[in-house]
Amino acid sequence: MSTVVPDGTAHTGLETLYREHSGWLHGWLRQRLNNSADAADLAQDTFIRVLLARTAGTLKEPRHYLATIARGLTIDLYRRRSLESAYLEALAQQPERYAPSAETHAAILDTLMAIDRMLDGLGPRTRAVFLAVQLDGLSYEKTGERLGVSVSTVRKHLARALMHCLLVEDA
């Protein structure tokens, strides 16, 4: 695992940004989340994103930039919790002997999050086509009938979805 070490200029910019805005960001997140621990975690994650993006010294509107990153991280937090809750609910319906190990449980949650990230960037029709073909196992013709589109439209949307998934996975 490599470690990113910012140059002196970037480090100074990040230090100034952190000093001037970390308290505000933590308060802004705490107000929205009603949870100080989650707010502190997301505030730190926000500054880590800034560090990795190396944009600290070039920001014209730092609070807007920080809030935008923090909003995305908040959405990710709620999405992860929602997926985890749905998974645990489904798991509770299964006999105990089928319960996965802690490692398998973590791997399944990570996979669900990756799938969710992939699907999140798709438009509604493209997502519907992708899920109909890949999840429901429908043919292109049946998918077209279900969604009221032509087979060539199904192919186009499926190709777009698969390309998007490859790009997300590659990133």
Side-chain angles (χ1 to χ4, degrees):
M1 178 177 190
S2 66
T3 304
V4 175
V5 180
D7 62 26
T9 307
H11 180 69
T12 302
L14 182 64
E15 183 180 333
T16 301
L17 182 71
Y18 186 83
R19 190 175 355 93
E20 292 177 359
H21 301 289
S22 64
W24 168 82
L25 182 61
H26 183 263
W28 185 84
L29 284 163
R30 188 176 55 244
Q31 185 178 26
R32 281 156 180 73
L33 299 172
N34 288 329
N35 183 315
S36 188
D38 285 344
D41 287 345
L42 290 182
Q44 293 305 313
D45 289 348
T46 300
F47 283 102
I48 288 171
R49 292 270 176 104
V50 172
L51 172 68
L52 295 175
R54 298 176 184 225
T55 55
T58 62
L59 300 176
K60 291 184 179 18
E61 295 184 41
R63 288 189 176 183
H64 177 74
Y65 183 70
L66 293 170
T68 300
I69 294 171
R71 259 189 227 102
L73 291 171
T74 301
I75 290 167
D76 289 348
L77 173 72
Y78 284 131
R79 184 176 285 148
R80 180 171 180 84
R81 286 183 179 167
S82 175
L83 279 171
E84 188 171 0
S85 175
Y87 171 66
L88 290 173
E89 190 175 304
L91 195 59
Q93 303 298 322
Q94 299 297 318
E96 193 172 323
R97 66 179 179 220
Y98 296 115
S101 67
E103 294 83 11
T104 302
H105 175 80
I108 290 170
L109 285 176
D110 287 344
T111 302
L112 287 172
M113 287 301 297
I115 292 168
D116 186 59
R117 277 192 304 277
M118 286 182 183
L119 294 177
D120 186 47
L122 299 176
R125 179 169 286 165
T126 303
R127 182 176 27 253
V129 166
F130 180 79
L131 291 174
V133 172
Q134 297 296 322
L135 190 63
D136 297 338
L138 296 181
S139 67
Y140 291 3
E141 292 79 14
K142 292 286 186 192
T143 300
E145 288 173 16
R146 177 191 278 184
L147 300 175
V149 298
S150 68
V151 171
S152 64
T153 299
V154 169
R155 283 191 182 106
K156 179 182 77 170
H157 283 288
L158 187 60
R160 184 179 299 151
L162 292 172
M163 181 58 74
H164 173 78
C165 291
L166 287 171
L167 292 172
V168 168
E169 184 178 335
D170 196 41

